[in-house]
Amino acid sequence: MTAAATPAASPATTGEQPVVRLARSRRNAELSLLLLAMVLVAAYGATVEATMLDTVTPDFWIPAAALGAVFLGLHLVIRFLAPFADPALLPAVALLNGLGVGFLRRLDLGEAAPDAREGLAVFAGTGGRQLAWTLVSVILAAGLLVLMRDHRSVSRYAYTLGLAGIVLVMIPAVLPRRFSEINGAKLWIKFGDTFSIQPGEFAKLALLVFFAYYLVRKREVLSLASRRFLGIDFPRGRDLGPVVVVWLISLLVLVFEKDLGTSLLYFGMFVVTLYIATERVSWLLIGLVLFFGGAYLAYILGDLVGGPFANFYLRAQIWLDPFADPHNDGYQLVQGLLALGTGGLFGAGPGGGQPGLLPEVQNDFIFAGLGEEIGLFGLSALLVIYLLIVERGLRAALAVRDSFGKLVAGGLAFTLGLQVFVIVGGISKLIPLTGQTTPFLSAGGSSLMANWLLIAVLLRISDGARRPVTGGGAPARPSGGPPEQLHGAPTEVIRP
């Protein structure tokens, strides 16, 4: 006769102390990837010098070393204040930022006289300024991690941030052209001839926090369906108010700030956050119809009326046929297309192209300038890095346990991906040209600071998402508490 199996006694009934397996924070993996990224940046700099100078100077490694020191400081902040944050975010962004600095120094070398290139100071020119902006941006990101120990605390300031975001968006629109317009787009606040900031870069972060807070509170109402058409549940007409308001604001940005990319960024950010909150495909369809309908209406009015719609009409005409006026209005886009075509599959090699022929190559067209030298394969690798960052942000959104964090992380990841799509689509003639910068690559402090703050928020949310869960099912506290709660396995408890 076989004895009946008896259930194993639990630690609670036997009085035994459970052994909790330690969770891995993966900070050493982050450090290893960060060092590899800086090695690649140093190798890029050495290749540029070998091509342009026929030698490699003894100082080629200094920009990579300076960047490595800055990023190492942020790594230490993450190690102590967000130990369970995603280990791939910082190295991926550091690689993009480092390659951007390296390419800007390559532009500085190209502008210098041939006999003066070898003596060009490492911290001079646009590349040196970008190094300084990187230091400021990383300090801001570290400061945000210090101040924001829990991403949910930001929701207390949602309405204040929403108002601040609207003010930041509208400031360039109401300023006179001499204080806000560069290359036809009113996106900046200019202080003299040498310094300007782009407030819209910071507005997207503030507005997204407000959108997330609002949609967490209203998502049940916005999820209600009134009728079903072609297998899709459409919302009630009275629930369209928030979408229409944001749509009108985006059209005002399109008309008065004369930039399609910024308008698309704000409206797309809201619609996708709304989709994440409600899981209704109908909101995406409504958003697409509203935006493209509004853009087409602005194009028609630009042709018939002109005035504030004229700039968008001109950009659309250049997009439709840039070769109609290749030496004037279409010059920038034509040169960008020629640069991409010249690069081919493998490019001319770092330092081997002529990116100086591209207007605004350090800003809007840096992707085309890089494409001439690293080719389609190199550009594909850069896009894969961006895709990795977006994927990691979406993974944090899926894993985090609160709805507010899900919407913020998902919205930030999508916003970064949409910004890359807008600028790459513009230089490749997929969509009309915009005034957006390529995140982490383009020169400029506003974009770099705002995008590093975006990464800091994703790091904080991913830390909350990956942080071990206590025995009761709640995440361990960010600071304080017994070691077994901070570093224990999420659910698994075993007997000794």
Side-chain angles (χ1 to χ4, degrees):
M1 182 175 180
T2 305
T6 58
S10 67
T13 58
T14 61
E16 299 175 352
Q17 292 294 326
V19 175
V20 184
R21 294 183 179 178
L22 298 179
R24 300 176 64 186
S25 66
R26 308 304 297 269
R27 299 277 65 83
N28 290 335
E30 178 184 80
L31 180 59
S32 300
L33 291 172
L34 186 59
L35 293 175
L36 175 61
M38 292 303 99
V39 168
L40 294 176
V41 172
Y44 177 82
T47 307
V48 167
E49 290 193 353
T51 302
M52 301 189 69
L53 309 178
D54 293 328
T55 185
V56 178
T57 65
D59 298 334
F60 82 93
W61 57 273
I62 293 180
L67 287 168
V70 172
F71 298 140
L72 179 61
L74 182 57
H75 164 77
L76 293 176
V77 172
I78 296 172
R79 181 176 285 268
F80 288 104
L81 297 182
F84 295 95
D86 194 301
L89 280 173
L90 176 59
V93 176
L95 178 57
L96 291 172
N97 199 158
L99 291 176
V101 171
F103 183 73
L104 293 174
R105 174 163 170 78
R106 179 258 176 275
L107 294 178
D108 293 333
L109 291 173
E111 293 175 358
D115 56 349
R117 290 175 179 175
E118 191 167 343
L120 185 66
V122 171
F123 298 105
T126 308
R129 287 195 297 272
Q130 191 75 348
L131 270 173
W133 281 122
T134 300
L135 174 61
V136 174
S137 303
V138 170
I139 290 175
L140 287 177
L144 185 60
L145 288 174
V146 171
L147 294 175
M148 187 176 65
R149 299 299 181 94
D150 188 337
H151 62 271
R152 293 169 293 185
S153 63
V154 184
S155 63
R156 287 179 283 181
Y157 311 100
Y159 287 103
T160 302
L161 290 172
L163 178 61
I166 293 174
V167 171
L168 289 173
V169 169
M170 301 311 297
I171 285 177
V174 299
L175 286 177
R177 293 176 56 183
R178 65 179 183 274
F179 296 122
S180 62
E181 185 170 321
I182 298 178
N183 296 329
K186 291 173 58 92
L187 299 174
W188 287 265
I189 302 175
K190 295 194 291 185
F191 301 90
D193 297 329
T194 58
F195 181 72
S196 62
I197 62 173
Q198 193 171 347
E201 291 284 351
F202 303 95
K204 65 186 181 184
L205 302 178
L207 289 173
L208 183 62
V209 172
F210 171 72
F211 291 160
Y213 179 79
Y214 173 81
L215 293 173
V216 165
R217 297 168 62 90
K218 301 293 184 180
R219 63 178 179 177
E220 291 185 1
V221 174
L222 295 171
S223 298
L224 296 177
S226 63
R227 63 186 62 186
R228 191 175 182 86
F229 180 70
L230 296 178
I232 300 175
D233 293 322
F234 283 86
R236 301 176 300 179
R238 60 188 174 204
D239 296 328
L240 294 175
V243 178
V244 173
V245 170
V246 178
W247 174 66
L248 290 174
I249 293 175
S250 69
L251 286 184
L252 291 176
V253 171
L254 174 65
V255 172
F256 292 102
E257 297 192 357
K258 305 175 184 178
D259 187 70
L260 174 68
T262 302
S263 175
L264 176 60
L265 194 66
Y266 294 149
F267 188 65
M269 180 174 66
F270 177 74
V271 171
V272 168
T273 309
L274 178 58
Y275 167 70
I276 296 173
T278 62
E279 299 182 7
R280 294 287 189 191
V281 178
S282 56
W283 285 117
L284 294 178
L285 299 177
I286 292 171
L288 290 173
V289 170
L290 284 175
F291 182 82
F292 288 112
Y296 182 71
L297 177 62
Y299 173 77
I300 296 299
L301 292 176
D303 184 23
L304 299 177
V305 179
F309 306 95
N311 182 268
F312 176 68
Y313 175 76
L314 176 61
R315 291 202 176 203
Q317 287 293 102
I318 295 172
W319 167 58
L320 292 172
D321 189 5
F323 293 94
D325 188 10
H327 300 292
N328 191 9
D329 292 333
Y331 181 78
Q332 186 182 34
L333 181 55
V334 168
Q335 290 298 316
L337 294 173
L338 290 175
L340 293 173
T342 303
L345 291 178
F346 302 102
Q354 294 181 304
L357 298 177
L358 277 168
E360 300 297 328
V361 65
Q362 76 279 7
N363 294 318
D364 300 355
F365 270 66
I366 194 170
F367 208 76
L370 276 167
E372 183 181 2
E373 298 194 342
I374 64 177
L376 177 62
F377 285 173
L379 291 183
S380 298
L382 291 181
L383 291 177
V384 167
I385 297 174
Y386 281 116
L387 182 62
L388 173 65
I389 298 171
V390 172
E391 184 271 334
R392 290 289 177 166
L394 293 176
R395 175 177 292 187
L398 290 172
V400 74
R401 300 170 183 89
D402 64 287
S403 299
F404 177 74
K406 289 181 182 295
L407 294 183
V408 171
L412 288 177
F414 171 80
T415 300
L416 182 65
L418 180 60
Q419 187 169 349
V420 174
F421 166 78
V422 164
I423 186 61
V424 175
I427 67 172
S428 61
K429 200 180 169 294
L430 181 63
I431 61 175
L433 280 175
T434 68
Q436 293 295 311
T437 56
T438 309
F440 308 109
L441 287 177
S442 296
S446 301
S447 174
L448 199 60
M449 288 188 290
N451 284 305
W452 269 107
L453 290 174
L454 182 153
I455 294 300
V457 176
L458 287 181
L459 286 168
R460 174 55 70 202
I461 294 176
S462 69
D463 175 65
R466 295 160 57 92
R467 187 173 292 275
V469 180
T470 61
R477 290 179 293 171
S479 60
E484 63 271 14
Q485 289 185 356
L486 290 176
H487 304 291
T491 55
E492 183 175 13
V493 178
I494 59 175
R495 297 176 59 188

